[in-house]
Amino acid sequence: MPAAAQLREAASRLLATPRRSLLTLTGIAIGAGALIALVTVGAIARSEAIEQFRALGTDILSVHAFLLESNAAGARKTGLAESDAADLARLPSIDDAAPYAISTAELRLGAHGTRRVSVVGATRAFARIHNLELEDGRFLSPLDGYRPFAVIGADVANALRDEGAAPAPGATFRTHDAVYTIIGVLEPEPRGRGAIRPDEMVFVTIGHATRRATTRDLTGITLRMAPDVHYLTASAAVTDHFRLLEPRLNVRVDSPIQIIEQMEAQMRLFALLLGTVGGISLVLGGVGLMNAMLGAVREQRAEIGIRRAFGARQGDIRRQYLTQSGMLCLLGGLLGAVLGVGTTLIISHFAGWTWQLSGAAIALGLGTAGAVGMGFGFYPARHAARLDPIEALRDGR
């Protein structure tokens, strides 16, 4: 039988049992749609997560150190100082260095109580490395010394504004332990752009930050690598510098590139897991397909017997049912592609992600649907082809 005739024959037989065909088609479509949606969502989530880490700046290093001690207290945070940042900035592989110290404070908001904010002791280099932009006023200067001058983030400014205050240079605000004079207000930071959240921070001089804290130690040092320097080279240079300075010092140097590489490996496993879950749902649709085709074979035993009696070969019968199952899976895969793409659009919209059309996911869904059709349709087709014509005619009477 020509291919065109086989397709027409398969279509007419599927239309002869619309309810069963529709249910089988729905199962395949849901399975294919789930596979495409899960793989696409996994790819979009991976892209979003990696982009957030790329926003940290792939030329940035974060340095933290612990002083190894043999006493019962174990390791404690060491006293990184501004002088360490100055020394690191002179390394050939380092372009800029910014020491910082982070603590917390309770911002006084009058009738609305308090709000916890991060107080960051920083320098101009910190603003430079993290691309902090000012909406009003100026940033901190070495000439500010220990004075309680502050540069506030956009969220802190909005909180003060809600209380009727005017968060502008020259205005003051209170925390639980100090009164600060505002010298600058930062522009709102785009969501997910950097490693820190400056909108919720109050920036003060390092001298003031270490004076108000229980320790004079810095939290860490942020470094910008020189152009065309690999992060492993820069990390080794920083580690060697501190090893010569203090052999007992345990230095940890973190890079966004290192984090991105680790995250990519984890997200690949995550995508594989999602694809496996989607594949299982498509396999369940294939089981429904096999059940439907076996039912069709049972109902058409007499017809199969007549065709065999008039000379139809086993291959002809087998191709007839494989064509039916393949047609169902092709239509189900196409409907599943529409369903999967629509689902990812909705998820991306509500999650605030940038939607991406994954051709690989669609090809995987359609290819898997076709494989399921051939795989689960083969047994019913083989069963029909191997029916004894005499027995089929006798059972069909």
Side-chain angles (χ1 to χ4, degrees):
M1 182 182 294
Q6 280 192 343
L7 291 174
R8 287 195 298 270
E9 177 72 13
S12 65
R13 291 183 180 279
L14 293 176
L15 292 174
T17 55
R19 183 178 301 176
R20 181 167 59 201
S21 298
L22 181 61
L23 290 174
T24 306
L25 188 66
T26 301
I28 296 295
I30 292 175
L35 176 60
I36 292 171
L38 288 173
V39 172
T40 304
V41 166
I44 294 175
R46 172 177 174 269
S47 177
E48 289 289 327
I50 291 175
E51 280 303 314
Q52 288 183 8
F53 278 96
R54 289 191 188 278
L56 310 183
T58 53
D59 59 346
I60 300 297
L61 297 177
S62 296
V63 180
H64 304 277
F66 295 87
L67 187 62
L68 300 181
E69 297 179 338
S70 59
N71 58 19
R76 66 173 177 83
K77 201 67 172 287
T78 189
L80 289 176
E82 289 187 76
S83 58
D84 294 320
D87 292 340
L88 292 175
R90 287 192 286 269
L91 295 176
S93 57
I94 302 302
D95 207 23
D96 205 353
Y100 63 94
I102 300 179
S103 59
T104 59
E106 296 292 335
L107 179 64
R108 298 289 176 85
L109 294 175
H112 291 83
T114 61
R115 172 179 179 147
R116 183 175 292 273
V117 295
S118 295
V119 178
V120 182
T123 62
R124 286 183 181 272
F126 189 91
R128 214 166 36 238
I129 291 177
H130 291 281
N131 300 314
L132 302 182
E133 299 292 339
L134 285 165
E135 183 180 272
D136 195 7
R138 66 174 178 84
F139 203 74
L140 301 164
S141 165
L143 299 177
D144 294 330
Y146 293 90
R147 285 176 286 188
F149 290 166
V151 177
I152 60 175
D155 288 352
V156 178
N158 290 333
L160 294 173
R161 195 175 289 115
D162 290 342
E163 291 298 318
T172 61
F173 66 92
R174 297 179 61 87
T175 64
H176 69 283
D177 61 352
V179 178
Y180 290 97
T181 300
I182 299 173
I183 62 171
V185 180
L186 295 176
E187 290 185 352
E189 190 78 0
R191 179 183 175 186
R193 197 186 78 173
I196 63 172
R197 303 180 67 179
D199 290 347
E200 302 174 1
M201 293 179 172
V202 173
F203 294 90
V204 300
T205 65
I206 287 185
H208 179 80
T210 54
R211 173 178 286 180
R212 67 179 293 274
T214 56
T215 174
R216 300 185 63 84
D217 297 344
L218 296 180
T219 302
I221 300 174
T222 300
L223 306 176
R224 185 184 296 279
M225 294 184 292
D228 302 324
V229 173
H230 195 275
Y231 81 94
L232 291 177
T233 302
S235 300
V238 172
T239 304
D240 291 342
H241 168 79
F242 281 106
R243 185 177 293 117
L244 293 174
L245 182 69
E246 173 53 75
R248 296 178 300 162
L249 207 60
N250 182 21
V251 176
R252 188 181 80 241
V253 183
D254 298 323
S255 168
I257 299 178
Q258 183 181 13
I259 298 173
I260 289 170
E261 291 173 349
Q262 295 172 354
M263 177 163 287
E264 283 181 333
Q266 294 173 357
M267 294 304 289
R268 280 194 293 268
L269 292 176
F270 178 65
L272 178 62
L273 175 62
L274 290 179
T276 302
V277 173
I280 291 173
S281 63
L282 190 52
V283 167
L284 294 177
V287 173
L289 169 70
M290 183 171 64
N291 184 58
M293 296 306 297
L294 285 172
V297 170
R298 284 194 301 269
E299 294 175 359
Q300 298 166 9
R301 286 174 66 88
E303 181 182 340
I304 294 171
I306 293 173
R307 292 190 63 185
R308 290 297 310 281
F310 277 90
R313 293 171 298 180
Q314 288 189 0
D316 297 327
I317 303 298
R318 187 163 51 246
R319 280 192 295 272
Q320 172 190 339
Y321 286 96
L322 282 176
T323 301
Q324 292 182 42
S325 61
M327 185 174 291
L328 276 174
C329 285
L330 176 61
L331 292 175
L334 292 174
L335 290 175
V338 175
L339 180 64
V341 170
T343 301
T344 57
L345 273 170
I346 294 172
I347 293 174
S348 297
H349 172 73
F350 284 102
W353 295 342
T354 300
W355 180 76
Q356 301 174 7
L357 179 62
S358 176
I362 294 176
L364 178 63
L366 294 176
T368 307
V372 166
M374 293 299 100
F376 284 89
F378 180 78
Y379 175 73
R382 178 174 177 273
H383 177 66
R386 298 184 67 178
L387 286 176
D388 183 81
I390 302 301
E391 293 295 330
L393 288 171
R394 183 183 297 116
D395 293 341
R397 286 185 302 173

